[in-house]
Amino acid sequence: MTRTLILLRHGKSAYPDDVDDHERPLSPRGRREAGLAGRWIRANLPEVDAVLCSTATRTRKTLTEAAVEAPVEFRDSLYHADPKTLVTEIRRTADDVHTLLVVGHEPTLSATVLGLITDHGTDAAHQVTEKFPTSAIAVLTVSGSWAELSRGTAELVDFHIPR
């Protein structure tokens, strides 16, 4: 069985004074681009069955602006996660989930994509290597169960930057 893994970086955040990093909100541009990201996901990808989202304010607000309707699990472990932690969280996903959206942070998302994919020579892989900007979306296909996800087991089929 082929599954779809969507990795969405949070929208552009604001930097208000006296606000902890975890609590930083989205900027107006971040809200707009997160909305564009959601529209692109809904128009171009299979229906999302489940969402894993960092507990940071900017990731939660990105998900709200994206308006993707699916059951959501907010996980503290995704804030400041390394790629190994992110993959561990994805592996915990139930087998009845065919399309999983993860809303997270850089540099974790790009490192995770590059660690999971088999072909680093594609245009999309080069884009991910260069920069994974705010509100960008990496779409991977995964064969087998989520529990079997590991290095070199996914294909990067799209990389979209909503602007």
Side-chain angles (χ1 to χ4, degrees):
M1 164 173 283
T2 300
R3 300 174 191 281
T4 302
L5 174 61
I6 307 164
L7 300 177
L8 170 62
R9 183 177 177 194
H10 63 78
K12 179 79 174 158
S13 59
Y15 293 87
D17 293 336
D18 300 324
V19 174
D20 180 62
D21 180 74
H22 190 272
E23 304 309 317
R24 282 191 292 128
L26 292 179
S27 69
R29 178 181 134 196
R31 288 192 302 275
R32 182 180 64 77
E33 291 175 354
L36 291 173
R39 282 192 286 285
W40 187 86
I41 289 168
R42 290 189 307 278
N44 295 285
L45 300 177
E47 184 176 344
V48 174
D49 299 313
V51 179
L52 299 178
C53 185
S54 162
T55 56
T57 298
R58 60 191 177 276
T59 53
R60 295 171 70 99
K61 296 297 184 184
T62 296
L63 182 58
T64 298
E65 295 293 333
V68 172
E69 298 293 328
V72 181
E73 290 185 39
F74 295 100
R75 299 208 179 143
D76 286 325
S77 59
L78 297 181
Y79 179 69
H80 287 309
D82 59 20
K84 181 179 178 182
T85 300
L86 178 56
V87 170
T88 297
E89 292 295 337
I90 293 168
R91 284 183 186 144
R92 294 175 47 200
T93 303
D95 281 336
D96 63 344
V97 172
H98 299 287
T99 302
L100 176 66
L101 170 64
V102 178
V103 186
H105 308 270
E106 265 299 280
T108 305
L109 295 181
S110 61
T112 301
V113 168
L114 296 171
L116 291 175
I117 64 174
T118 56
D119 185 355
H120 291 84
T122 66
D123 287 342
H126 288 293
Q127 284 183 286
V128 170
T129 300
E130 288 292 316
K131 185 174 184 180
F132 200 119
T134 54
S135 296
I137 306 157
V139 183
L140 295 86
T141 55
V142 177
S143 296
S145 72
W146 295 114
E148 297 170 323
L149 185 65
S150 61
R151 286 184 79 68
T153 60
E155 298 297 326
L156 179 60
V157 295
D158 209 339
F159 185 68
H160 179 72
I161 302 167
R163 296 286 186 257

